[in-house]
Amino acid sequence: MLFRRIYQFLIVYVLALAGLMAIKYTVGLSDYVIPGLELIRETAGRVASGYFFDVMNTLSVTVLGQLISIIMAFTVGILGRKSSWVGSFIKVMAYNIQAYPIVALAPIIFILLGDGFLSRLLIASMICYFPLLLSVLGIMAAPITDIEHFYIATGRMRWQLEVKIRAFENLSKLTTVIAGSATLAMAGTIVAEFIAADAGIGYSIRIALYQSDLAGILVALFMIGIIISIYQGMLETLGEQMKTKWSAPKGGELL
């Protein structure tokens, strides 16, 4: 999965770059508007090292923000899985808040918290939290009737077992959702850095934008794509390993 993620990104990136070159040479644009391949290569040699550490800085905030979102989403999702008044209230509140464009709150967060780590972390967490919560709520609220009926009939059903059954039966979906939320968390962090932060790849892209340095922006996009592809591939691999481990934890017996 890791290599699949990487070569899929490389295919998309090369196609996009080829499209830019086709426009450049068809219309006859200068390097100032769309840089040529040689200028992109020279820029990459000059900024790649710095951009790599900028992306890693952004990724560190992304991972922490995503982890906070996962913990919150699973906590609320487990509490809201029941068809009780509390469960219904949590679902309605999550659907309504999710409909609001969270990124529009970014200026307020920067006014209250200022530039820095906390603002980036909060925006990254908020942007990936609500889509994650809706998926977790949907999965946890859907009973696995065939399996759960046995434990209910034998009086062995506990809430921990109920959550474990639903998580295991939907582990592929959860893995996909969590891997997908990594992109949202990264996007939220970059947006925060682009608006007002003083570190990270979003901050570097903002500087390149002010300098009309499209070659630098293309190099930054390449670094972001590679790093996030590797991270998502690692999450998917971890999900597969968990499913294998849960499938036969003791002599091949499930649960």
Side-chain angles (χ1 to χ4, degrees):
M1 290 196 178
L2 179 61
F3 293 109
R4 187 182 65 184
R5 280 280 182 184
I6 293 174
Y7 77 68
Q8 284 177 343
F9 163 71
L10 290 176
I11 291 173
V12 172
Y13 186 85
V14 169
L15 288 176
L17 197 59
L20 275 179
M21 292 303 109
I23 294 173
K24 171 183 172 64
Y25 293 112
T26 301
V27 183
L29 299 175
S30 68
D31 281 356
Y32 180 78
V33 181
I34 297 179
L37 292 176
E38 182 60 24
L39 180 56
I40 294 174
R41 189 189 66 78
E42 289 177 4
T43 304
R46 178 169 49 84
V47 301
S49 176
Y51 279 8
F52 173 77
F53 290 106
D54 287 340
V55 175
M56 295 307 294
N57 183 302
T58 300
L59 183 66
S60 64
V61 179
T62 297
V63 172
L64 187 55
Q66 189 189 15
L67 182 61
I68 293 171
S69 298
I70 291 172
I71 293 172
M72 290 174 58
F74 272 86
T75 302
V76 177
I78 290 171
L79 292 174
R81 74 188 190 284
K82 294 292 187 183
S83 301
S84 59
W85 181 87
V86 175
S88 300
F89 177 75
I90 289 174
K91 289 174 193 171
V92 171
M93 189 170 62
Y95 288 131
N96 288 333
I97 296 177
Q98 190 271 338
Y100 191 82
I102 301 299
V103 72
L105 301 176
I108 298 177
I109 294 172
F110 278 109
I111 290 172
L112 295 177
L113 300 179
D115 300 354
F117 175 77
L118 280 180
S119 298
R120 297 159 65 198
L121 180 64
L122 184 57
I123 293 172
S125 302
M126 289 172 63
I127 286 183
C128 77
Y129 168 67
F130 289 103
L132 196 57
L133 173 62
L134 295 180
S135 300
V136 173
L137 267 176
I139 288 172
M140 290 301 168
I144 311 298
T145 309
D146 294 343
I147 300 176
E148 293 181 17
H149 176 72
F150 168 77
Y151 293 100
I152 293 173
T154 56
R156 296 167 58 190
M157 178 60 82
R158 295 168 287 114
W159 73 267
Q160 297 95 330
L161 182 57
E162 182 182 80
V163 169
K164 190 174 181 181
I165 290 171
R166 294 178 186 182
F168 174 78
E169 292 298 320
N170 294 283
L171 194 55
S172 297
K173 292 180 184 175
L174 287 173
T175 300
T176 303
V177 169
I178 290 173
S181 71
T183 305
L184 293 175
M186 175 70 94
T189 310
I190 291 174
V191 167
E193 294 165 352
F194 192 83
I195 293 175
D198 54 3
I201 193 65
Y203 175 66
S204 298
I205 291 176
R206 184 166 50 133
I207 293 175
L209 176 64
Y210 290 158
Q211 297 172 344
S212 298
D213 184 5
L214 182 56
I217 294 173
L218 290 173
V219 174
L221 294 179
F222 178 79
M223 302 292 289
I224 293 169
I226 284 291
I227 298 297
I228 196 66
S229 297
I230 293 173
Y231 178 52
Q232 287 183 314
M234 291 171 62
L235 289 176
E236 290 171 344
T237 303
L238 182 62
E240 288 297 320
Q241 290 177 345
M242 284 184 61
K243 188 171 185 177
T244 303
K245 185 178 180 180
W246 282 19
S247 297
K250 293 179 181 179
E253 294 181 1
L254 176 63
L255 302 175

